[in-house]
Amino acid sequence: MKIISRDETLEHLDAEATLVFILKQNFEHKWVDSGIDFKSMGFKAEAQQTFFDTHKKVLYYAIDTWNIDILRESCAKALKIMKSYTFSSFKCGIIDCKKEKNTESAIRAMIMGFLLGNYCFNSYKTKKDENKLEKIVFSLQTYHDKHVEEALFESINKEVNIISASVNFTRDLVNTIPQEATPIFLAQKAEKLAKELKLECKIEDENFLKEQMGAFYAVSRASVHPPRFIHLAYKPQKPQKTIAIVGKGLTYDSGGLSLKPADYMVTMKADKSGGCAAMGIIKAIAQMKLNVEIHSIIGATENMIGGDSFKPDDVLRAKNGKTIEVRNTDAEGRLVLCDCLCYAQDLKPDYIIDLATLTGACVVALGEYTTGVLGFDEKLKKRFLKSARHSGELAVSLPFNRHLRKLIDSKVADICNISSTRYGGALTAGLFLGEFIQEEYKNKWLHLDIAGPAYVEKEWDVNPFGASGAGVRMVIEFIKNLIKES
C-alpha cells in the first residue's frame, strides 16, 4: 500500500473514498458535510464511533480528545474499516493541533497508524481475504487550515515507511510457526538481510557454543534443531556511537525438563520476539543510513526435552567463566542472554540494549501491553522511557534494589538461574543478567522485558492478533535521539 501527498484541498483530491476525523463532536468543520443530520442517524461523534455516508463514500471517525497515540490507533482502526469495502484508494487531510510543533508528530502518527494497521499475517490460510486497498492520498492541508510543505511530508513518509516495514518484518518472523522457524531459519533470514543491506554477518554453530558459551549451549542440547549464534553488524565510516542490540531468540520453548503446562506452551513460537526485534532494528537503521554502528546479536535455539536435556541441579559455565546453578530449566532465556551479553561487551559498544520475552512475572506486574525497562542507571532509563513514549510504545521503569540480589545466591555455584522466592521475578531475572555486565557497562546497559506486548491473542492499539513487533519502534527512537545528542 502506497501513501502519497498532493498539494490540493481535500475535496479536490482524486480517490474512491474519503476519511474524515471528527474532533470533539465538531460537526461544523469544513470537511464535514453540513447537509447530513448526524444526530437523527444516531451518530454523536463519541470516541471511536463511525458513520459511513454511502452516497458520497465518506467515512466519519470520531476522536473525543486530541492525543497523538489515539490518532495513531484511530488511523489503524479506520483503515480496517476502509479495507472492508472494495475501494482501491481513499483520501484524508492531516489532523494537526493548533500548536505548530505537533503537526509533524501528527503526520508521523497518521502514516504509522495506517501502515501498521494494514498488516495481516495469513501465510497459513488456504483462503485469504482479498485486500483491494492500494493507495492513501493525503491533502497537505490540515484540520486547522495550515499548509504542510511537501518536502517535509515526504521526508516523514519515507522514514515512517522504513520503520513500519521493519516492525512488520519482525511481526512476520515472530508469527512464523516453530516447525518452520528453527534456529537455522533465523540464521538464513539474517544472511539474506545482510546480503540485501550489505551488513556484516557472522553465524556460529553448536561447536562454537560448546567451546565458548556453556550456558547457551546447555539450553540447546536436547533439540534436533541445532542452535545458531547470529551477529549482524552495520558499520558506517565514522559512526557517532556504537550500540549492541542483544535479542533472545528461543524459536520454541517447551520449558525443558521443567516442562510447561500444555496451555502455557501455546504461543511459545513468540519466545523469539527479542531476537526478531534485533533483526528488525538493524534493518531499519541500515535503510535509514543513520550514522551509528549497530551490532545485532541473537541467540537462536530451542528449549526442548530429550536424553541430552540440561537438568535442574546442573552447574553451567558462562562465557565469562561465571558458574550458574540450574534449578529450573524453564528459566532458559537468561542463560542464552548472559552469554550473548558477554560477547556484546567484547565489542566495546557505547550502549547495550537487550530485548527478551523473559518473564511471566513482568506480564503479571504490567499487563499485556507494556514493556518493563530495567537497568542500573536511572538517568539512562529515564532517557529511554522518553523515547519510548515518543515512539508510541508503552514502557515503564522497574526498580532494582540490594535486597533482591540476595535471592539469586547459590550454595553450589556463583549464581542461581532462578530466585529463591516467587515474588519480583522480572526484577530478579534482570538482576541475574546484570551479574554478567562488567562494571564499566553497568550504566550503559538496558534490559527490556517484552513478555507482555510481544504477542497478544487479540487486536489492540495498532497491533493485530499475534506479534506486535514490540521494541522495534522504541529502540529506533532511542538511537535517533542518541545521535541528536552527540
Side-chain angles (χ1 to χ4, degrees):
M1 184 180 71
K2 292 176 61 177
I3 293 178
I4 63 174
S5 65
R6 292 287 182 266
D7 194 5
E8 299 178 40
T9 57
L10 186 63
E11 61 268 26
H12 289 107
L13 290 180
D14 182 27
E16 292 183 15
T18 305
L19 171 62
V20 172
F21 288 105
I22 294 181
L23 297 176
K24 299 180 180 178
Q25 302 180 338
N26 183 6
F27 293 101
E28 304 302 320
H29 192 268
K30 64 179 181 178
W31 293 345
V32 179
D33 188 344
S34 59
I36 300 176
D37 184 1
F38 288 102
K39 291 184 180 180
S40 69
M41 303 297 290
F43 182 65
K44 299 177 181 178
E46 296 173 346
Q48 297 186 358
Q49 190 181 14
T50 62
F51 174 82
F52 187 69
D53 179 354
T54 55
H55 177 63
K56 294 190 175 180
K57 297 182 177 59
V58 179
L59 175 66
Y60 293 98
Y61 191 108
I63 302 176
D64 67 335
T65 182
W66 169 257
N67 181 284
I68 289 291
D69 295 322
I70 290 175
L71 179 59
R72 185 187 306 107
E73 179 180 356
S74 297
C75 286
K77 291 183 175 179
L79 182 95
K80 287 181 172 64
I81 297 172
M82 282 295 194
K83 286 173 69 175
S84 68
Y85 297 101
T86 58
F87 306 126
S88 64
S89 64
F90 72 84
K91 59 187 177 180
C92 64
I94 297 167
I95 302 296
D96 64 347
C97 184
K98 290 181 180 178
K99 295 180 180 178
E100 185 69 35
K101 64 181 181 180
N102 283 331
T103 303
E104 185 175 335
S105 296
I107 297 169
R108 184 177 299 275
M110 292 185 75
I111 298 173
M112 186 77 74
F114 288 140
L115 293 174
L116 295 183
N118 191 45
Y119 177 82
C120 177
F121 186 78
N122 57 10
S123 297
Y124 306 109
K125 291 275 192 180
T126 54
K127 185 178 180 181
K128 295 174 172 54
D129 293 333
E130 189 176 2
N131 175 21
K132 294 186 177 180
L133 188 61
E134 298 175 350
K135 183 172 64 176
I136 300 172
V137 187
F138 271 86
S139 166
L140 294 177
Q141 304 297 314
T142 76
Y143 188 87
H144 289 99
D145 296 320
K146 287 184 285 188
H147 179 270
V148 176
E149 293 296 328
E150 187 172 5
L152 173 63
F153 183 95
E154 290 308 319
S155 174
I156 296 170
N157 190 21
K158 181 180 179 181
E159 180 178 296
V160 175
N161 264 273
I162 290 172
I163 295 171
S164 299
S166 293
V167 171
N168 289 335
F169 166 82
T170 303
R171 288 170 168 178
D172 279 346
L173 290 180
V174 175
N175 283 325
T176 303
I177 56 177
Q179 68 200 73
E180 181 180 343
T182 64
I184 289 176
F185 170 89
L186 284 189
Q188 290 171 341
K189 288 291 184 180
E191 289 173 329
K192 182 180 179 183
L193 196 64
K195 186 176 181 180
E196 290 173 354
L197 301 177
K198 298 181 181 179
L199 308 175
E200 293 182 10
C201 183
K202 178 181 180 183
I203 308 291
E204 299 287 1
D205 63 13
E206 60 271 28
N207 296 316
F208 170 84
L209 299 183
K210 187 174 183 179
E211 182 180 330
Q212 297 194 32
M213 298 183 173
F216 183 170
Y217 175 69
V219 176
S220 73
R221 285 185 348 218
S223 176
V224 297
H225 298 292
R228 289 295 182 266
F229 174 84
I230 302 165
H231 177 188
L232 290 166
Y234 165 68
K235 295 180 178 179
Q237 287 190 346
K238 295 181 180 179
Q240 292 169 257
K241 298 288 182 183
T242 298
I243 302 165
I245 310 294
V246 179
K248 174 187 172 185
L250 266 290
T251 56
Y252 196 76
D253 178 21
S254 71
L257 291 178
S258 304
L259 194 66
K260 293 178 184 290
D263 56 341
Y264 280 54
M265 281 195 222
V266 179
T267 75
M268 278 300 103
K269 65 181 179 182
D271 216 18
K272 60 184 180 292
S273 296
C276 298
M279 290 173 64
I281 291 163
I282 198 170
K283 178 179 185 292
I285 298 299
Q287 289 178 322
M288 292 162 69
K289 295 181 170 57
L290 296 185
N291 191 30
V292 59
E293 184 173 315
I294 300 290
H295 295 269
S296 283
I297 297 156
I298 300 132
T301 186
E302 286 187 335
N303 183 25
M304 300 297 285
I305 57 174
D308 198 26
S309 296
F310 78 117
K311 311 168 186 68
D313 287 340
D314 278 351
V315 173
L316 313 177
R317 189 176 297 276
K319 178 174 169 55
N320 66 350
K322 188 166 288 192
T323 56
I324 306 164
E325 177 190 2
V326 177
R327 296 186 71 89
N328 188 318
T329 64
D330 196 23
E332 88 301 327
R334 65 201 69 181
L335 299 176
V336 173
L337 282 174
C338 71
D339 276 339
C340 292
L341 286 167
C342 291
Y343 178 95
Q345 289 165 93
D346 290 344
L347 301 172
K348 303 301 179 185
D350 295 298
Y351 295 95
I352 302 170
I353 302 171
D354 76 72
L355 302 97
T357 48
L358 204 64
T359 65
C362 196
V363 190
V364 172
L366 304 179
E368 292 181 298
Y369 312 119
T370 305
T371 293
V373 180
L374 299 91
F376 295 106
D377 189 282
E378 293 301 320
K379 290 182 179 178
L380 181 59
K381 288 198 291 181
K382 187 175 180 180
R383 287 165 62 196
F384 186 86
L385 289 172
K386 183 178 179 181
S387 296
R389 282 193 297 273
H390 194 263
S391 76
E393 292 198 74
L394 299 172
V396 298
S397 174
L398 294 177
F400 290 151
N401 69 63
R402 60 189 176 88
H403 302 292
L404 289 168
R405 170 57 188 84
K406 304 169 189 175
L407 303 178
I408 52 175
D409 281 340
S410 169
K411 298 292 186 183
V412 299
D414 296 328
I415 194 171
C416 185
N417 81 320
I418 61 166
S419 167
S420 57
T421 177
R422 62 185 294 183
Y423 303 112
L427 299 168
T428 51
L431 283 167
F432 174 91
L433 295 178
E435 287 294 303
F436 296 86
I437 301 296
Q438 300 166 24
E439 197 60 39
E440 65 181 295
Y441 285 106
K442 293 286 188 185
N443 294 330
K444 300 176 181 180
W445 164 68
L446 289 171
H447 162 56
L448 310 183
D449 194 329
I450 58 173
Y455 194 95
V456 179
E457 291 192 286
K458 53 182 173 287
E459 289 187 3
W460 61 284
D461 196 35
V462 297
N463 302 300
F465 171 102
S468 67
V472 173
R473 287 185 284 155
M474 66 173 83
V475 173
I476 291 171
E477 189 66 28
F478 178 70
I479 292 171
K480 285 169 56 184
N481 288 333
L482 285 178
I483 295 171
K484 290 177 186 176
E485 294 165 6
S486 63

